[in-house]
Amino acid sequence: MAIDEQRLHAFLGRAVGDLGAAISATLIQIGDELGFYKALAKERLTPAELAERTGTYERYVREWLGNQAAGGYVEYDEASGRYGLSEEQALCLADPNGPVDVPGAYSIVEALFHAKSRTLDHFRNGEGMEWGEHHPCLFHGTERFFRAGYNANLIGAWLPALDGVVDKLRKGGRAADVGCGHGASTILMAKSFPTSQFVGYDYHAPSIEVARERAAEAGVVNASFEVADATGYNGKDFDLIAFFDCLHDMGDPVGVARHARGALKSDGNCMIVEPFAGNHVQDNLNPVGRVYFGASAQICVPVSLARHGPALGAQAGEAKLREVVVDGGGFQRFRRAAETPFNIVLEARP
């Protein structure tokens, strides 16, 4: 068999890059937990200075810095022997309110290794795995990673893109956040619209407990949280019902959409935030699609299959979601209201 040397080397280059990224995953978490990124965001430091600032052992710090600089996560100045973060790196590695919380995403990666033996079985037997059966690092990683996107987009871009929602919330409306997890999106909306009332629903009781704690810590009094399935919550007459990165995980997404339709006011709005995806496989063969396909195979599809669902997956695409929401759920109007490199924001109305 004739081997194309250029294609071989190109593939090996990608493979080595992936291996370097994989082997660095725990080091990113370590840098986050030990405060390395935050220290380097403040000033450029030698390995000894970083170790002194963080109460760690210099010999390990030296190797950590070499790994991070080789991967482009840290900058190295040869003349001074110091390392630091650019403003862009600091925004994504050391700022919890930045547009992307990169270290938070690696807690999701950690969870995948905890679930590896179960995932192997899933591929053989087709069974599922409930969200609550995962290691708790998944819940915390999901909160951190998605909260950054919500902080950057939800109040300033996504809600204003919906028809009349901001005016309703400013005047004092009622909103539900279904599948709220730790409540990051619920609390953000409640803080931004203090005259409105918000309720977060999630079927995972430990997440609801955390959401209540987060709301108390934030001093938010206009948000409450209830343990409830997405087809079983009792709230009615909502001006807004939101689903943040969760509808594709549901065991009965059609039933979920139908229930939301019945819980909305006649002039209400449903906001469905989903992972960015095109309608065809080839549309999603890119770096973002790779991340989402990987998460989908190990988290999203098993959660849906655990409840005998259709397993829409994280790359369902707008056309499939339209079928669920309009054809199945009974909504009359459906459109893409906004998008980012990571999300599409869909608006459905009765």
Side-chain angles (χ1 to χ4, degrees), residues 27-38:
L27 292 177
I28 290 172
Q29 288 188 290
I30 286 169
D32 177 59
E33 293 176 24
L34 294 178
F36 290 167
Y37 293 121
K38 289 184 177 178

Side-chain angles (χ1 to χ4, degrees), residues 63-297:
E63 298 302 291
W64 183 88
L65 286 165
N67 165 272
Q68 295 291 287
Y73 281 60
V74 165
E75 293 185 340
Y76 175 62
D77 180 64
E78 182 179 357
S80 66
R82 283 182 163 81
Y83 298 80
L85 298 182
S86 68
E87 291 184 4
E88 295 77 16
Q89 290 167 332
L91 197 62
C92 297
L93 295 168
D95 184 355
N97 296 313
V100 179
D101 187 340
V102 171
Y106 281 88
S107 291
I108 301 175
V109 174
E110 179 187 358
L112 303 181
F113 280 93
H114 282 291
K116 178 177 174 288
S117 62
R118 289 285 300 273
T119 302
L120 187 65
D121 290 339
H122 297 158
F123 274 82
R124 289 174 171 148
N125 59 30
E127 294 179 355
M129 181 175 179
E130 290 279 10
W131 176 261
E133 294 182 86
H134 279 278
H135 190 279
C137 64
L138 174 62
F139 318 139
H140 295 289
T142 299
E143 176 189 8
R144 284 187 59 178
F145 180 68
F146 286 104
R147 180 180 59 202
Y150 304 154
N151 286 341
N153 299 290
L154 176 54
I155 304 303
W158 294 350
L159 288 176
L162 305 180
D163 186 17
V165 165
V166 169
D167 287 340
K168 293 175 184 177
L169 296 179
R170 282 175 178 163
K171 292 175 182 177
R174 281 172 45 78
D177 186 353
V178 181
C180 67
H182 285 182
S185 48
T186 324
I187 293 167
L188 178 59
M189 291 189 291
K191 289 174 66 176
S192 300
F193 300 99
T195 59
S196 287
Q197 294 295 316
F198 296 83
V199 57
Y201 297 112
D202 202 289
Y203 80 136
H204 185 233
S207 287
I208 289 296
E209 292 177 9
V210 172
R212 289 169 178 161
E213 293 170 2
R214 296 279 195 271
E217 292 166 0
V220 170
V221 297
N222 60 322
S224 60
F225 297 91
E226 299 179 18
V227 178
D229 188 88
T231 58
Y233 56 91
N234 294 320
K236 295 285 186 181
D237 296 323
F238 290 110
D239 296 288
L240 171 69
I241 295 179
F243 298 89
F244 291 96
D245 294 290
C246 63
L247 183 63
H248 65 273
D249 294 326
M250 304 289 186
D252 181 14
V254 168
V256 169
R258 190 179 300 118
H259 189 78
R261 170 67 181 82
L264 274 175
K265 290 181 178 178
S266 60
D267 64 343
N269 305 67
C270 184
M271 177 170 62
I272 303 159
V273 179
E274 280 285 300
F276 191 95
N279 293 322
H280 308 287
V281 171
Q282 62 269 24
D283 299 333
N284 304 317
L285 301 183
N286 53 58
V288 172
R290 184 186 188 190
V291 170
Y292 284 140
F293 275 126
S296 188

